[in-house]
């Protein structure tokens, strides 16, 4: 039987051309790769690395073969993309949702921290009424540290907009005085 290079067989299979040798060869005969003669050819044909190489080539040839097959062409109409199926929440609804979250009488410290973490994660600075509800929740929990952290987070969230934080403190001043909460500036911990 005439020897044919393994690459030639793979190329014929990929292109779909059959040759006489392909038809004459029984389907279940294992092809053994013959290593070229030379001074450095010490690897046996059935070594684990050659078996692995044959498996990798077989998988890559079948993958290329699947790419060369023609796929049915569909002419599907383009639908309008709807990224959001729910209704949009207005600013008032957003504020009311967070005020009611922080106004729950049975809120615990974990829920308070999770709510503030989520709220600070949004691309906005919370409204004073949301912060007032969060500070009142801190007072119900007797958690002064969380109250001061909320004020620090809001100051950090305001970023380069220097007019936002003083406005929030001005709006929260009656609540801060009522609850006995000092700002980070009054405590002297704002200078790091």
């Amino acid at each position: 039987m005439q020897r044919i290079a393994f690459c030639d067989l793979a190329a014929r299979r990929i292109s779909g051309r059959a040759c006489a040798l392909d038809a004459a060869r029984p389907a279940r005969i294992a092809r053994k790769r013959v290593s070229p003669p030379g001074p450095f050819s010490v690897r046996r044909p059935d070594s684990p690395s050659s078996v692995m190489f044959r498996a990798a080539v077989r998988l890559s040839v079948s993958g290329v073969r699947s790419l060369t097959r023609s796929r049915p062409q569909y002419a599907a109409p383009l639908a309008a993309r709807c990224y959001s199926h729910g209704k949009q929440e207005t600013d008032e609804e957003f504020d009311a949702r967070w005020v009611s979250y922080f106004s729950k009488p049975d809120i615990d410290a974990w829920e308070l921290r999770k709510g503030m973490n989520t709220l600070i994660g949004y691309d906005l600075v919370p409204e004073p009424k949301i912060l007032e509800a969060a500070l009142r929740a801190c007072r119900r929990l007797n958690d002064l540290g969380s109250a001061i952290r909320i004020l620090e987070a809001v100051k950090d969230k305001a970023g380069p907009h220097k007019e936002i934080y003083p406005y929030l403190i001005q709006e929260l001043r009656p609540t801060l005085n009522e609850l006995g909460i000092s700002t980070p500036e009054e405590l002297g911990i704002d200078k790091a």
Side-chain angles (χ1 to χ4, degrees):
M1 183 170 197
Q2 181 183 6
R3 286 189 182 170
I4 191 160
F6 182 73
C7 295
D8 290 342
L9 286 175
R12 287 183 185 149
R13 284 189 178 167
I14 291 171
S15 65
R17 291 181 291 148
C19 65
L21 291 175
D22 288 341
R25 186 180 61 230
R28 298 207 178 229
I29 294 179
R31 295 185 302 262
K32 293 202 176 194
R33 186 164 182 231
V34 179
S35 60
F40 300 110
S41 60
V42 293
R43 190 176 290 166
R44 296 185 350 230
D46 288 328
S47 67
S49 59
S50 66
V51 171
M52 188 176 255
F53 177 75
R54 282 196 306 256
V57 169
R58 189 178 318 120
L59 288 174
S60 65
V61 168
S62 66
V64 171
R65 191 178 319 137
S66 68
L67 290 176
T68 59
R69 291 182 187 140
S70 64
R71 295 186 178 137
Q73 299 295 324
Y74 296 108
L78 293 175
R81 292 184 180 179
C82 298
Y83 291 110
S84 176
H85 297 291
K87 69 174 197 141
Q88 294 292 329
E89 186 178 42
T90 64
D91 291 341
E92 292 77 24
E93 292 170 341
F94 179 84
D95 294 346
R97 178 168 56 100
W98 282 104
V99 167
S100 67
Y101 179 84
F102 289 120
S103 297
K104 292 189 298 189
D106 60 341
I107 193 169
D108 61 355
W110 184 87
E111 287 177 326
L112 175 71
R113 287 191 306 271
K114 182 184 182 325
M116 279 310 300
N117 191 24
T118 304
L119 188 60
I120 294 299
Y122 290 136
D123 189 22
L124 54 85
V125 177
E127 287 289 324
K129 58 185 171 183
I130 298 174
L131 295 174
E132 179 183 345
L135 291 172
R136 289 188 185 280
C138 290
R139 185 65 194 156
R140 280 194 309 274
L141 295 171
N142 289 326
D143 193 357
L144 179 64
S146 291
I148 294 172
R149 274 186 233 116
I150 288 172
L151 295 174
E152 288 176 330
V154 169
K155 183 177 182 179
D156 185 52
K157 189 69 177 177
H161 306 288
K162 300 297 182 196
E163 67 276 357
I164 294 177
Y165 183 69
Y167 165 74
L168 290 173
I169 294 297
Q170 172 192 335
E171 293 293 315
L172 292 173
R173 179 56 62 192
T175 306
L176 293 173
N177 290 339
E178 177 189 343
L179 300 176
I181 298 173
S182 300
T183 63
E185 293 79 22
E186 293 170 350
L187 294 173
I189 58 174
D190 61 328
K191 297 167 183 59

